[in-house]
Each structure stands twice: as C-alpha cells, then as structure tokens.
Amino acid sequence: MMSTSPHGRTELLRPDGSPVRVLVVDDESALADLLSMALRYEGWEVRTAGDGAEAIRTTRELRPDAVVLDVMLPDMDGLTVLGRLRRELPDVPVLFLTARDAVEDRIAGLTAGGDDYVTKPFSLEEVVARLRGLLRRSGAAAARSESVLAVGDLILDEDSHEVSRGGQEIHLTATEFELLRYLMRNSRRVLSKAQILDRVWSYDFGGQANVVELYISYLRRKIDAGRSPMIHTRRGAGYLIKPGE
C-alpha cells in the first residue's frame, strides 16, 4: 500500500497501516532533536533516549521498527546496548551513528548485529535514506501501492473501487465513491460545497448545494453507522474527513 507524506515522498507504513516507530539513541540532545524532527517529517512516530538504560526501557514500551544508535553513550557503549536491544527485539534493524570511521569499528558494529553505519558529521537526508532502506529490507514497513488511500481504518482502492472500514467491506454507488475519494484525498481539510460540486458533479454551485448534503448523508450511513464518526460538518464552511476517535 502507498501514501504520500506532506513533502511528496512515498510514505512507509507498518503492515497494519500505522506510522513507522523509530527510537533515536544519542546523548547529544540537540542532535537527537534534529534527527527526530527529520524523521517526524517522514510521518514516523519517534522517541528519543539519552543513554543505554533509557534506550532499553523505551524499546520495551515503544517496540520500535528501527533504532538509530550512537556508538558512544555515557553509561555503556553502543555494542552493549545493541546486544540488550536484540534480546528484546531480535530482528529490529539498527543504524549506528559514530564519530569514528575506522574499518575495525565498522566491522565490529556490523558483526555485532548492526545493520548499517553512518559517521558524524552526516546529512539528515542520508540517515533518512538509510533508515528507509533498512525498514524496507526488514519487512517492518512497506510503501502503499499508489492506488490505495487510507484515513484511519478506512481504506479505498482507486483501481478496484473496493472500500472497507475496519476490514469490513462497504458498497458504494459510483457517485458516493467519487465523493469519498475526493474527501480522502484531502483528509483533515475542509472542502466547501462549491468545491465538492465542481470536483464530483462537475457543474457550478448554482442552487445545487442540497445534492452535496444528500450524498454526505448517504456516505455517513455507510461509513460512520455504529462507528466513531469520520465525516464532519464545519458549519458555514463545508465538510472534512479524518480518522475516528
């Protein structure tokens, strides 16, 4: 499945469709914050730890899909931390950060089970690219196919025209499908009746606003019935769709 992150890059997601989880372990808080910001920009859930003990505790809580791990930590070295992490999550991919570029260090890290290695100073783009590669290879995350839209547990396949929520198939008419597709392509964004008419029905606003209200009510019966509402009205502004609470 595929989604697009705010900057246009194909978004990696966990198999259940939730955001990728990454743990950043570095005692330099400014660097950890910078890395976290770059990874959150990918749409990922990020936690940080400043030493080995905190990294191990956070791993138990977060169950990360990947770890960015500084080799030099105040309480224990990165290789020791790696061994402890791997006891918790044997297959979690690990990207080492180090200020040293000696061949022996590189071999020691990879032999100990680290999956990749970048040396300081590094570019944020390089770290993100390496992590994306590790996540894809490990199977912890995958890109969604371009035909699939997802908002929370609501899934719409633009190719097959299949729609489901929480794994239950939902049957829509052609017009309902087009309306839902337009809402989902603009999730969390308020769309006016005029915008919806122009995009879904392809004619001007003139006196036809009630058809939008009517089809929104049809969709609500099928999408929201007995579930946490996803389709919302913003009085005087329009409609939006967002994940249910």
Side-chain angles (χ1 to χ4, degrees), residues 57-72:
R57 283 197 306 273
T58 307
T59 294
R60 289 179 184 139
E61 294 168 14
L62 181 65
R63 312 299 291 179
D65 302 299
V67 178
V68 180
L69 178 60
D70 192 358
V71 169
M72 301 297 290

Side-chain angles (χ1 to χ4, degrees), residues 2 13 39 52 80 90 105 111 134 149 155-156 159 163 167-168 174 187 195 198 203 207 211 219 233 239:
M2 180 187 91
L13 296 164
L39 301 182
T80 303
D105 287 338
T111 302
L134 287 177
L149 302 174
I155 308 292
L156 180 147
D159 288 343
V163 177
Q168 291 187 319
S187 67
Q195 287 174 306
D198 184 59
Y203 51 69
V211 76
L219 271 187
T233 302
Y239 303 96

Side-chain angles (χ1 to χ4, degrees), residues 103-168:
V103 173
E104 307 90 82
D105 287 338
R106 191 178 298 266
I107 292 169
L110 295 173
T111 302
D115 300 280
D116 206 348
Y117 202 101
V118 292
T119 54
K120 299 177 182 178
F122 49 76
S123 73
L124 294 174
E125 291 82 3
E126 180 184 11
V127 172
V128 169
R130 297 282 189 95
L131 275 175
R132 287 173 69 88
L134 287 177
L135 286 160
R136 284 176 181 273
R137 290 196 296 275
S138 72
R144 289 186 166 160
S145 96
E146 304 217 3
S147 69
V148 175
L149 302 174
V151 177
D153 61 352
L154 180 64
I155 308 292
L156 180 147
D157 191 317
E158 295 181 289
D159 288 343
S160 68
H161 279 222
E162 292 175 331
V163 177
S164 65
R165 182 167 180 194
Q168 291 187 319

Side-chain angles (χ1 to χ4, degrees), residues 41-53:
Y41 191 56
E42 294 292 306
W44 301 348
E45 180 183 344
V46 185
R47 295 270 295 276
T48 61
D51 58 39

Side-chain angles (χ1 to χ4, degrees), residues 31-46:
L31 179 59
D33 290 345
L34 201 59
L35 277 169
S36 297
M37 184 175 66
L39 301 182
R40 288 192 181 104
Y41 191 56
E42 294 292 306
W44 301 348
E45 180 183 344
V46 185

Side-chain angles (χ1 to χ4, degrees), residues 90-112:
D91 301 318
V92 67
V94 174
L95 175 66
F96 271 134
L97 306 178
T98 180
R100 302 171 301 185
D101 197 19
V103 173
E104 307 90 82
D105 287 338
R106 191 178 298 266
I107 292 169
L110 295 173
T111 302

